[in-house]
Each structure stands twice: as structure tokens, then as C-alpha cells.
Amino acid sequence: MALDAVATSASPETDKVGGVAADRLRGLIDRIERLEEERKALASDIKDIYAEAKSAGFDVKVLRQLIRIRKQEPAEVEEQETLLDVYRRALGM
Amino acid sequence: MALDAVATSASPETDKVGGVAADRLRGLIDRIERLEEERKALASDIKDIYAEAKSAGFDVKVLRQLIRIRKQEPAEVEEQETLLDVYRRALGM
Amino acid sequence: MALDAVATSASPETDKVGGVAADRLRGLIDRIERLEEERKALASDIKDIYAEAKSAGFDVKVLRQLIRIRKQEPAEVEEQETLLDVYRRALGM
Amino acid sequence: MALDAVATSASPETDKVGGVAADRLRGLIDRIERLEEERKALASDIKDIYAEAKSAGFDVKVLRQLIRIRKQEPAEVEEQETLLDVYRRALGM
DNA sequence: CAAGAATTATGAACCC
DNA sequence: GGGTTCATAATTCTTG
């Protein structure tokens, strides 16, 4: 059971509620929640750009597709290399 | 049809390639891709914090659950917990 | 709130514990759990075949890759067509 | 599929091309793909049941949670609930 | 058992 | 606004 943070505390500052390192926990949660806030803000910004694109007459769905394809392209190159490797191995080379 | 940006450009600055407002398109894509980069970086940071939490002895799965709960409205949390309880009783659990 | 099944019961057979249609719930859960059992069994069978393949001298990782590629190929054909379409539209054709 | 170059057979039973026991390989792949088909069909059936549950007024998300809980060992369920509780108290929630 | 891939589930966005 | 598809998150499984 992952109770190290619960069970091993000793000092007065870290050992707070129910034996858990409450301060530490709070810190972690705060940091995560702040970063998630920022993430959400970025998502919103991106949405705005798509809206702008739409009102400029671009087809948003096609735009998303372009972005997706550009993102996948490097992965696909790698996939091709892997495939080549598979063939090599299948042929015992 | 959402092809205004394809069909209506006129000035020399808009650099029409095959009828597309290519510069405008490029700009939009650049901005989106940059923001998505930032998003990815934040996701990575968050992952790091969970790793840190884990090595401090916290149960990551429970931590995620906690974050999820904090994100919901309290009323909604209550509702789901109640419903789960109802179902459990119905099954005699 | 999704409480139809909780709140609308009337007949003695369907209205059991805590007002929920307990029998109905049990039935659904049973069916799901049975199907998941079967799924698990199949997963186990598949694992066995990989083990067999391995002891026959095949490289399991490569085998998995082959299966994955065979599965993806039809999807990729379609993807290519979509991509072509995107380019066509971008060029106003 | 793009393995023709690997599989262009010559002799009937052993059929080794480039050192690979092609028939054996084909058999393994067939068996795996068939089982994966069945798996997919079961997944589809399960989806249908959730849809049925939904239209009967059950909360699908809670239903999934319930199934998840039933799959765990009771001790494990207890443990996670306890831990969540501990964390919540630590945060004063 | 830790890292990473692959599957599955949740959440968001779009169309009707 | 409801339902369906699409994108992201999270868990599970595999491999080193």
C-alpha cells in the first residue's frame, strides 16, 4: 500500500492531518491545478483561433485535419522505418 | 460553402496559390501549432509532478481522483456518490 | 439527474431496494460481466498464441507489429484519400 | 499486404522464404486475427448494453464505476476509499 | 518494477 | 439541446 507519505511522518511540520504529509500534498495539488488552469487557457486560445479562421472563411474541420496530418507526419516516417526493420528481421537480415 | 478565403482574395499581399489565402492560412496554422506546443509542455510538467508525488509515497490514482473531485461542483459530487450508493444497495453490495 | 430508473418504479417486481429497478440493474450488470469474462478469456487465448509463436522461434514484438500494421492498413488508405481531398480543396480544385 | 516479398512461396509444406517458416507464421496470424475479431464483437455487444442501460434511465458513468468496483478485491476497494478519505481530510475537504 | 505502447473511457465540439 | 463523432486523459498490458 502506498502509504509512505501517510505512515512514516515524524516532524511536527510535515505530519498534520490523519498522519498524512498535508503540506506536501497541498503543494502538489496546487501545482497541478495551476498548470491545468494554464492548459485550459491555452485550449481556449486555440479555440479562438479556430473561430477566427472560420470567420475568415476557412473550413475548420479541414484545418484540424491539416494540423493533425502535420503532427502525424514525423511519426509516420518513423513507422516506415520500423516497418523496414520488421521486413529485415522477417527475412533474417 | 466555406471557401471565401479561397475564392475572394484580390490584393498582391495575400499571395494566392491556387486561389487560397496562403499567408493567412500559414499564420493561423503557425499560431495553433505554437500553442499546442505549449500545451504539450504543460502536460509534460504535470506528468512530472505526478511522478514526484509517487516517489513521495502518494497513491497517484487516488490523487487523480481527488483532483477530479475538486474540479466538479460539490452538488455533482454528492449526486454521483449517492447514485453509486443506490446502485450498490440495489445489488446488495 | 439520471434517476428515471430510480424514481419511476411502481410494480412490486421491479421496485426493490431503495426505489431502484434492482432486477433490471442486476440483469444489465450480469450481462456486462459475462461478456467481459469472455473478452478476458479471448485475451488469454491470444496471449497463449503469442507464447506458442515465441517458442516456435518467432519474435513476438515483430509479430505484434505485423498484426498492428495489417489492422491499420485499411484505415491508412482512407486517410490518404482524405488527405488528397484536403489538398484538392486547398488548391480550389 | 506488403509482405508479398516475404511470402512468395515455392515449396508446399515447409515453404521457407528468406529463412521464415511462412506457413506457420500465416497460421499464427490467422488465429490471432480471428480471436481479435471476436474480441471486437464482444466490445460492441457491451457497448450496446450500456446504451440499453442508458435508455432505461441508468447513469452510465456510475454504472461503469460500479463494474470497476466489483472487479476489484474488496480489500482493495476499502483501501482506496480510505486513502481518498485521508487525502480529503488532509486538504480539509 | 519502471517505462512505454496500446486500449479504453471521458470530455469537448459539431451537426441536426 | 441531444446525440454522434472526434480529441484528450487515464488505465491496463507488455517488455526490458
Side-chain angles (χ1 to χ4, degrees), chain B residues 1-3 6 17-20 25 79-80 82-83 86-92, chain C residues 1-3 5-6 17-23 25-26 29 89-93:
Chain B
M1 192 183 180
L3 276 179
V6 173
V17 179
V20 162
L25 180 59
E79 178 187 312
Q80 291 219 335
T82 303
L83 210 42
V86 169
Y87 291 175
R88 276 172 124 159
R89 279 164 206 266
L91 296 172
Chain C
M1 192 179 180
L3 273 181
V6 173
V17 182
V20 89
D23 286 349
L25 180 58
R26 236 189 296 277
I29 300 254
R89 299 182 73 152
L91 295 171
M93 296 171 66

Side-chain angles (χ1 to χ4, degrees), chain C residues 62-80:
Chain C
V62 169
L63 213 53
R64 283 184 193 277
Q65 218 157 18
L66 275 175
I67 299 270
R68 184 166 10 106
I69 287 161
R70 285 167 62 96
K71 192 160 34 182
Q72 278 175 197
E73 231 140 63
E76 258 166 47
V77 169
E78 192 174 344
E79 169 87 340
Q80 282 309 105

Side-chain angles (χ1 to χ4, degrees), chain D residues 80-92:
Chain D
Q80 292 219 335
E81 282 171 359
T82 304
L83 210 42
L84 179 60
D85 224 59
V86 170
Y87 291 176
R88 275 172 124 160
R89 280 162 206 269
L91 296 173

Side-chain angles (χ1 to χ4, degrees), chain A residues 14-82:
Chain A
T14 55
D15 183 358
K16 290 291 163 52
V17 182
V20 89
D23 286 350
R24 187 74 198 273
L25 180 58
R26 236 189 297 274
L28 291 164
I29 300 254
D30 282 355
R31 285 160 66 201
I32 290 169
E33 287 183 341
R34 176 147 12 149
L35 291 174
E36 288 197 340
E37 276 303 305
E38 291 181 44
R39 250 167 87 73
K40 212 172 100 186
L42 285 176
S44 171
D45 291 348
I46 291 170
K47 219 180 81 179
D48 289 349
I49 299 179
Y50 278 114
E52 180 188 334
K54 182 175 186 176
S55 74
F58 291 101
D59 183 316
V60 171
K61 196 173 168 184
V62 171
L63 213 55
R64 283 184 192 277
Q65 215 158 21
L66 275 174
I67 299 269
R68 188 167 4 111
I69 286 160
R70 285 167 62 96
K71 192 159 35 181
Q72 278 174 198
E73 232 140 63
E76 259 167 49
V77 169
E78 193 173 342
E79 170 87 340
Q80 283 308 106
E81 280 165 8
T82 308

